[in-house]
Amino acid sequence: MDARELADRLEIADLLARYTRAVDSGRWERLDEVFTEDAVIDYSSAGGVRGGREEVKAWLAEVLAHWPGRLHLIGAPVIDFSGDGEARVSAPFTDTLAPSREMVAAGTAGFLHGGGWYHHRLRRTPDGWRSVELVEEQSWRTAR
C-alpha cells in the first residue's frame, strides 16, 4: 500500500464519520460535504426514501425530528479502489434513535435500535472523496 492509498483510506474513513455526525447532529447542510450534488441515496431497506441529496435531506429532517437523541456507530469499512478515481465502500453500522436527549428509563417507549451495512460508491472530486450513491442495507431493527 503506497502513501496515496493510505491517505485515501483515511479521507474515506473521515467521510463516513462526517456522514454520521451530520445525521446525528441534525446539521443536514453538512451532508453536502459527504454527497455529490447528483448523488442517489437509498434508505428503502429501512422503510425510507430513495432520492437525490436535497430530497433526502428534507426527508431526514422531517422523520428524525421524532428522535432527537441519535447515535450512529460505523465499523471498519471494506474499501475497494477501482483505479479510475472511484471506490466502493461497505461499512457496518449500528444506530440508536431515542425519543429524548434527556436521561430516561431504559424501558421508555420510543427507542429504536438497528444495524446493517452502508454501501457507498465514491468518486474523487476536486473537494476530495464524495459519495455518489449510498444504499443502506438494514439487517435488523428493534423498537421499544
Side-chain angles (χ1 to χ4, degrees):
M1 198 176 308
D2 63 12
R4 176 62 182 215
E5 184 176 341
L6 285 170
D8 286 340
R9 287 178 180 278
L10 288 171
E11 185 179 340
I12 289 168
D14 184 62
L15 178 84
L16 298 174
R18 285 197 317 268
Y19 167 76
T20 61
R21 184 67 178 142
V23 171
D24 291 345
S25 68
R27 296 185 63 195
W28 313 116
E29 74 281 0
R30 303 296 295 277
L31 292 173
D32 295 353
E33 300 169 13
V34 174
F35 295 102
T36 61
E37 189 174 342
D38 62 344
V40 175
I41 304 161
D42 185 353
Y43 293 121
S44 58
S45 76
V49 300
R50 179 184 188 279
R53 185 177 76 185
E54 296 307 313
E55 177 186 356
V56 168
K57 285 167 38 179
W59 178 80
L60 287 169
E62 179 183 340
V63 170
L64 292 181
H66 301 287
W67 294 280
R70 298 184 287 270
L71 181 64
H72 285 76
L73 301 175
I74 300 287
V78 175
I79 303 170
D80 294 312
F81 295 99
S82 65
D84 59 354
E86 291 205 356
R88 297 233 176 222
V89 176
S90 290
F93 75 90
T94 61
D95 62 13
T96 299
L97 303 176
S100 172
R101 287 182 172 252
E102 305 302 319
M103 174 105 39
V104 295
T108 300
F111 277 91
L112 294 178
H113 301 280
W117 292 85
Y118 288 131
H119 303 287
H120 287 271
R121 186 168 52 90
L122 303 180
R123 179 183 311 135
R124 186 193 315 272
T125 74
D127 295 320
W129 287 97
R130 295 293 185 266
S131 181
V132 298
E133 180 182 45
L134 166 62
V135 176
E136 178 181 332
E137 178 187 348
Q138 184 81 51
S139 297
W140 61 277
R141 174 74 61 203
T142 62
R144 180 167 280 252

